[in-house]
Amino acid sequence: MVSLTGREAAVAWTAALQAACGRHADDGPAEVAAGLITSLPPRMIVALHRFRALGSTHNALLLRGLCADLSGLPATPATMTPDARMPLVEAASLLLLAVSLLVGEPFTFRSLHQGRLVQHVTPVPGHEQAQTSAGSAALQWHVEDGFTDDRCDYFGLLCLRGHPGAITYLAPARHLDLAEEVVAVLREPRFVIAPDTAHELPCGTEPSVIPILTGPAADPEICFGDADVRPADPADHPAAAALTALNAALDRAAVGHELCPGDLLLADNRRTAHGRSVFRPRYDGTDRWLLRAMTCASIRAHRRRGAARALG
């Protein structure tokens, strides 16, 4: 965890507000955000470099106090795709992208939230039970966009407005307590993951058959989505049992944090699964409001995709 001092936060926040107010409509947000990196405290930059190179105990990094003054925050939108221009929110978005640039290249999918590079995570009326960012029911264990190998390497969640008791959970794959025979099954290509409903994809998109766990035993990667994964063969009972065991192991390995305004949680999407506790939205403009950005850590992979900010 890195906590900014009041002075450090004020320097970064002032620069972000100036950049947001001076940005022209055709200025790419990631390019504008790149100009903010020098306003970040050097010790934060060092911590981000260390995290990218070596990871951390839980393969996550918490940055606290990133936004110096959120007192003028507008009402939480009741949609994940608000149209109104909000300079203070744009400043926070630019800071989120500046941090993201220190671990890779920010990108998104055209099929997700209108292809916006920074997405709003807010409860949406009528979507309470959805297993997406619009829901407020318990969000089951998953990685971001596990249905595609183009999923992000890191994601960042920047809290603008919190909700008491809304806990974000992380479970590092390296801390999973699983029997050897279960791990062996999970490492075989016996599973499929369907796209989550937040994506607007053509009908008939066929998921690939994949393993759930890959990589070295000491620091494995995980690709999982409890609401979307199933054995490729419905008769594969050992695969189904392995998924049940994995869910229980994720519960045992979980670490939780209640995001507060100005907190930025950066997590390794390849090595952790995450979820969220249930909470009760009020729909009165004071609800939980996060900003999310996804990052590709490999410049080679980013350029292979055409260096596109929005894939698809």
Side-chain angles (χ1 to χ4, degrees):
M1 182 178 74
V2 177
S3 295
L4 275 69
T5 66
R7 183 180 181 280
E8 290 171 336
V11 169
W13 189 239
T14 299
L17 286 171
Q18 290 174 347
C21 292
R23 180 186 166 211
H24 297 101
D26 57 349
D27 291 339
E31 286 67 34
V32 174
L36 298 179
I37 292 175
T38 55
S39 72
L40 300 175
R43 63 192 183 91
M44 175 185 286
I45 295 174
V46 170
L48 286 162
H49 174 75
R50 185 182 299 115
F51 175 62
R52 181 180 183 180
L54 303 174
S56 66
T57 300
H58 299 294
N59 280 320
L61 179 64
L62 178 64
L63 308 176
R64 307 210 72 171
L66 190 62
C67 301
D69 185 7
L70 290 170
S71 59
L73 189 67
T76 301
T79 173
M80 292 185 294
T81 53
D83 292 325
R85 188 170 187 273
M86 300 173 280
L88 188 148
V89 178
E90 187 171 342
S93 299
L94 291 173
L95 277 179
L96 172 57
L97 290 174
V99 170
S100 300
L101 283 164
L102 291 168
V103 294
E105 287 296 317
F107 77 100
T108 188
F109 297 91
R110 290 192 180 94
S111 59
L112 185 65
H113 303 326
Q114 302 176 347
R116 299 186 183 203
L117 194 58
V118 174
Q119 297 114 40
H120 297 259
V121 178
T122 64
V124 177
H127 293 258
E128 288 79 7
Q129 300 303 315
Q131 285 294 307
T132 69
S133 301
S136 49
L139 194 58
Q140 298 170 8
W141 290 115
H142 66 288
V143 303
E144 295 295 332
D145 306 308
F147 70 95
T148 173
D149 196 47
D150 285 336
R151 64 189 176 277
C152 64
D153 298 305
Y154 300 100
F155 67 88
L157 294 173
L158 175 58
C159 181
L160 301 182
R161 180 173 282 134
H163 186 106
I167 308 299
T168 298
Y169 291 104
L170 293 173
R174 61 164 54 149
H175 292 169
L176 295 177
D177 177 20
L178 290 166
E180 290 183 8
E181 59 270 23
V182 172
V183 171
V185 172
L186 293 171
R187 284 183 171 274
E188 295 176 357
R190 297 165 67 167
F191 307 89
V192 292
I193 299 180
D196 69 54
T197 55
H199 283 266
E200 297 178 0
L201 295 172
C203 294
T205 303
E206 288 295 326
S208 300
V209 181
I210 61 166
I212 299 297
L213 298 177
T214 55
D219 195 16
E221 296 187 10
I222 183 170
C223 185
F224 183 65
D226 187 32
D228 308 307
V229 69
R230 58 178 172 82
D233 178 359
D236 189 347
H237 301 300
L243 291 176
T244 299
L246 175 59
N247 252 312
L250 288 166
D251 289 342
R252 292 193 297 270
V255 291
H257 177 68
E258 182 182 313
L259 290 167
C260 300
D263 283 358
L264 196 169
L265 179 64
L266 189 66
D268 187 327
N269 192 51
R270 301 277 174 166
R271 294 181 175 85
T272 64
H274 64 283
R276 191 211 58 241
S277 67
V278 64
F279 68 98
R280 187 185 296 275
R282 297 175 289 267
Y283 303 129
D284 62 355
T286 65
D287 278 322
R288 187 174 186 261
W289 187 1
L290 311 181
L291 299 177
R292 179 180 63 190
M294 303 184 291
T295 307
C296 175
S298 168
I299 298 299
R300 179 177 295 175
H302 185 65
R303 293 190 63 177
R304 188 180 296 131
R305 298 168 178 171
R309 292 295 181 197
L311 303 184

